[in-house]
Amino acid sequence: EEFCDRELRRVIPRLERAVSHLFLNRRIMLVAEPSLLESLAGLSAELGATVAVAVSVGKFRSEGQEERLRGLAVRVLARPTSGTFRAEWQRARAEGLDLLVAPSDALREVGRAGRCVEFGFPSHFWHALAPQPFLLFEGALALIQRLSEGLLELPVLEKGR
């Protein structure tokens, strides 16, 4: 408990600015293995985002896992076909989706259109060139940083400028 309190005191100030305006009421579509999906949905909700769609690419293994996920997401799809996934992606975009968080295969399925963050396996488009934490508080910060970057609209620089 002391460890958690100490880490939260260190981490929370770094998150306050991003969370206060960047994630609030943003609509996110998550695509992941069931073991990651519930945690990603919970983190997104804690940041103030709405999980518009949660897509499980594997079979739910633990009892109640799908039901808990339904409490965190507007819609849940379990192991959809490619056609069903693409249709849900189009529906979510038409409803104002802000960010897709998904592994390479899902990003390829939708042509990497719109704002997206590659997360999970396989990962063909994103690679850490320096040590990148994945677990605990530092791992959560690293993931939130990537999600933040995915939400930001960076200006497109014109050639020659």
Side-chain angles (χ1 to χ4, degrees), residues 107-161:
L107 297 179
R108 281 188 177 144
E109 201 62 49
V110 297
R112 296 184 69 194
R115 292 185 215 150
C116 57
V117 171
E118 183 179 41
F119 183 78
F121 179 82
S123 179
H124 299 295
F125 307 115
W126 184 85
H127 302 284
L129 298 178
Q132 185 77 16
F134 193 72
L135 300 172
L136 301 172
F137 291 92
E138 288 299 318
L141 278 177
L143 175 58
I144 292 167
Q145 177 179 332
R146 290 186 58 211
L147 296 175
S148 298
E149 291 166 355
L151 284 169
L152 291 172
E153 289 190 48
L154 300 176
V156 177
L157 299 177
E158 293 179 27
K159 193 173 183 178
R161 287 195 161 191

Side-chain angles (χ1 to χ4, degrees), residues 66-104:
E66 186 172 0
E67 290 75 28
R68 288 190 305 274
L69 188 57
R70 288 190 187 284
L72 295 168
V74 176
R75 291 189 301 276
V76 175
L77 278 83
R79 300 170 59 191
T81 63
S82 294
T84 301
F85 174 70
R86 281 192 304 274
E88 188 61 36
W89 161 249
Q90 290 299 330
R91 177 181 174 188
R93 287 193 72 192
E95 294 172 346
L97 188 70
D98 293 299
L99 182 67
L100 169 63
V101 180
S104 298

Side-chain angles (χ1 to χ4, degrees), residues 47-64:
L47 293 171
T50 298
V51 179
V53 186
V55 181
S56 173
V57 297
K59 184 177 179 181
F60 291 106
R61 301 260 181 230
S62 66
E63 189 171 323

